[in-house]
Amino acid sequence: MKKVLGCFCVAVAIINGGRTFGSPQGGSPTAGMGIYRGNEQKALSWYARGMGSKRKAEQEKDLQTKVKFYQKAKEELERSLGYQGHYDGYLALGEVDLALGEKSSAEAACKQALALKPSDPAATACIEAAGKAKPGETAPPKSRWMSLRGRPSGRRLSAC
């Protein structure tokens, strides 16, 4: 009887892949819970996405598509910096803001980068470029509708 029970247990263990009987997923009690990703890992993941979008924007020829990629890069870099602020993220965000023509936010991001790495030539150049750029200098031209400041008909609204 002991031999049969021992053989049965060995056979079940082989079929079960060596997993234990006590855990609901088989294996260790935490095996089915997924992988823990800390803030640093999340920040680096979003930074990598943002840099990919930035590279695509730099290679793009069509202006509208270029702007879309830069806006996507900005969102991804901001999300990265929301998890954890880091020099590369702030500098990349400043460069993306410069490409979108957003001078004040570019300067603020570059100043954050400079605060993390004082006297860094790339961050200093970014601040200088933001200071020299005119607002909207590299931004795409606004459409006629946008130039009417939200009034598609171009007429003033009168009070009833």
Side-chain angles (χ1 to χ4, degrees):
M1 181 72 168
K2 289 184 182 181
K3 268 187 177 179
V4 173
L5 184 61
C7 290
F8 176 75
C9 289
V10 170
V12 170
I14 291 171
I15 292 171
N16 201 18
R19 290 180 244 148
T20 61
F21 294 108
S23 65
Q25 297 91 15
S28 71
T30 60
M33 294 185 182
I35 298 171
Y36 173 75
R37 294 183 51 198
N39 286 343
E40 184 176 349
Q41 291 171 324
K42 291 176 185 176
L44 292 176
S45 175
W46 282 105
Y47 171 74
R49 289 181 185 187
M51 291 304 292
S53 296
K54 181 179 179 247
R55 274 187 237 103
K56 287 179 184 177
E58 291 167 349
Q59 295 171 354
E60 186 61 43
K61 302 291 183 210
D62 181 45
L63 186 62
Q64 289 180 338
T65 308
K66 181 179 267 210
V67 169
K68 285 181 185 179
F69 277 125
Y70 273 128
Q71 289 171 342
K72 184 177 179 183
K74 180 177 178 164
E75 291 170 8
E76 292 166 343
L77 290 168
E78 286 174 341
R79 192 158 180 186
S80 167
L81 293 168
Y83 284 111
Q84 184 177 20
H86 51 97
Y87 167 79
D88 294 321
Y90 283 118
L91 186 61
L93 181 61
E95 292 169 352
V96 167
D97 284 338
L98 275 175
L100 290 171
E102 299 172 2
K103 173 187 165 184
S104 60
S105 56
E107 190 171 5
C110 294
K111 283 183 180 178
Q112 288 283 349
L114 190 64
L116 294 172
K117 280 192 178 179
S119 70
D120 183 64
T124 306
C126 181
I127 293 171
E128 289 173 2
K132 291 178 184 175
K134 297 174 186 166
E137 184 177 78
T138 57
K142 291 183 179 179
S143 66
R144 182 179 183 288
W145 188 83
M146 290 297 291
S147 65
L148 296 174
R149 297 181 189 223
R151 295 186 304 264
S153 64
R155 293 175 285 184
R156 289 192 151 223
L157 299 176
S158 60
C160 295

